[in-house]
Amino acid sequence: MASVLELKEIFRSADAVCFDVDSTVIREEGIDELAKFCGVGDAVAEMTRRAMGGTVTFKAALTARLGLIRPSYEQVQKLISDNPPQLTPGIRELVSRLQQRGVQIFLVSGGFQSIVEHVALQLNIPTANVFANRLKFYFNGEYAGFDETQPTAESGGKGKVITHLKEQFHFKKVVMIGDGATDMEACPPADCFIGFGGNVIRKQVKEKAKWYITHFDELLKELEER
């Protein structure tokens, strides 16, 4: 097992960094915000709590929650315009600094493509570097389900994305940063996992992550070390 010093060296020399989005790059949980916006916040929050207990697969939990929300195309667009996702303090500076060093940045999220792409644009991350779940709509804009073929729709999906990135781009060192168990499970294939507790602290991640931070300034300082 790598020591914290070894993990820091991997981070400083990484050629790709993958960020989770909900409660990491942004302060909110996208699905909970969408549920509140559509008037079913409490019911969906209860489902989320049960899903966090690990008794339900990610896909089953996503299917059940979206089945309750049933967001229309118009509601999703209105949520983004009326209540845009709030970037976590320090993320803009960290992403910019990594990009200056030639590091490829990816957003790997169990959230929704339209919301995550909005975040990517704010951070100058190409939309081709976004891996998230795609909502489907009928021609009249009503909810029609989600794309179940996306790797992020499955448990273990983030690891599959990282494997794909390594195969496609021949990255030597890939770092995964996130607040949740699905992020931690992506290492391996990620070479380093950094737990993030700046917005919400997940007990399991805080206890098990070798390297755990609560502010992105900590990572900016690491980059200045070199």
Side-chain angles (χ1 to χ4, degrees):
M1 290 289 285
S3 67
V4 175
L5 281 175
E6 287 168 320
L7 293 179
K8 288 183 175 184
E9 180 51 40
I10 291 170
F11 172 67
R12 285 196 296 265
S13 58
D15 38 17
V17 176
C18 297
F19 287 93
D20 169 51
V21 177
D22 293 340
S23 298
T24 300
V25 168
I26 62 172
R27 306 191 76 147
E28 314 89 343
E29 284 287 322
I31 195 162
D32 290 343
E33 294 304 307
L34 186 58
K36 278 189 247 176
F37 194 77
C38 296
V40 289
D42 290 344
V44 169
E46 178 56 34
M47 276 189 182
T48 301
R49 273 196 293 276
R50 287 208 299 272
M52 291 287 181
T55 51
V56 195
T57 67
F58 182 82
K59 185 183 270 190
L62 185 62
T63 304
R65 286 179 289 178
L66 281 172
L68 199 57
I69 304 169
R70 302 195 66 76
S72 68
Y73 177 80
E74 186 183 355
Q75 283 173 318
V76 174
Q77 297 310 309
K78 195 161 169 46
L79 170 69
I80 294 169
S81 63
D82 290 6
N83 300 308
Q86 300 298 304
L87 292 176
T88 299
I91 187 63
R92 198 187 289 277
E93 295 81 359
L94 177 59
V95 167
S96 176
R97 186 78 185 89
L98 287 166
Q99 287 171 330
Q100 285 166 15
R101 293 163 67 101
V103 180
Q104 289 290 313
I105 307 295
F106 296 89
L107 299 180
V108 185
S109 172
F112 307 121
Q113 187 92 12
S114 46
I115 295 172
V116 178
E117 284 185 352
H118 176 81
V119 173
L121 286 170
Q122 292 183 70
L123 295 171
N124 297 314
I125 296 169
T127 51
N129 288 19
V130 167
F131 293 85
N133 288 316
R134 293 176 185 272
L135 294 171
K136 296 199 291 194
F137 303 98
Y138 293 111
F139 287 114
N140 64 358
E142 285 181 7
Y143 174 70
F146 63 96
D147 183 353
E148 298 189 21
T149 66
Q150 293 296 314
T152 47
E154 295 271 12
S155 300
K158 293 180 181 182
K160 287 178 189 163
V161 170
I162 291 172
T163 297
H164 161 74
L165 293 176
K166 282 186 158 187
E167 288 170 355
Q168 184 177 357
F169 297 108
H170 307 292
F171 292 135
K172 298 282 189 292
K173 292 177 186 171
V174 178
V175 173
M176 181 75 211
I177 301 174
D179 68 290
T182 58
D183 308 308
M184 189 163 59
E185 287 161 6
C187 180
D191 302 278
C192 165
F193 169 67
I194 303 170
F196 182 73
N199 293 309
V200 61
I201 291 176
R202 316 265 183 219
K203 186 167 175 279
Q204 176 193 9
V205 177
K206 187 178 182 185
E207 287 172 357
K208 292 189 178 174
K210 276 249 178 114
W211 188 6
Y212 194 81
I213 64 167
T214 55
H215 202 289
F216 288 124
D217 281 357
E218 296 172 60
L219 297 183
L220 272 169
K221 284 188 190 121
E222 283 303 323
L223 295 178
E224 305 311 324
E225 294 288 313
R226 194 170 171 130

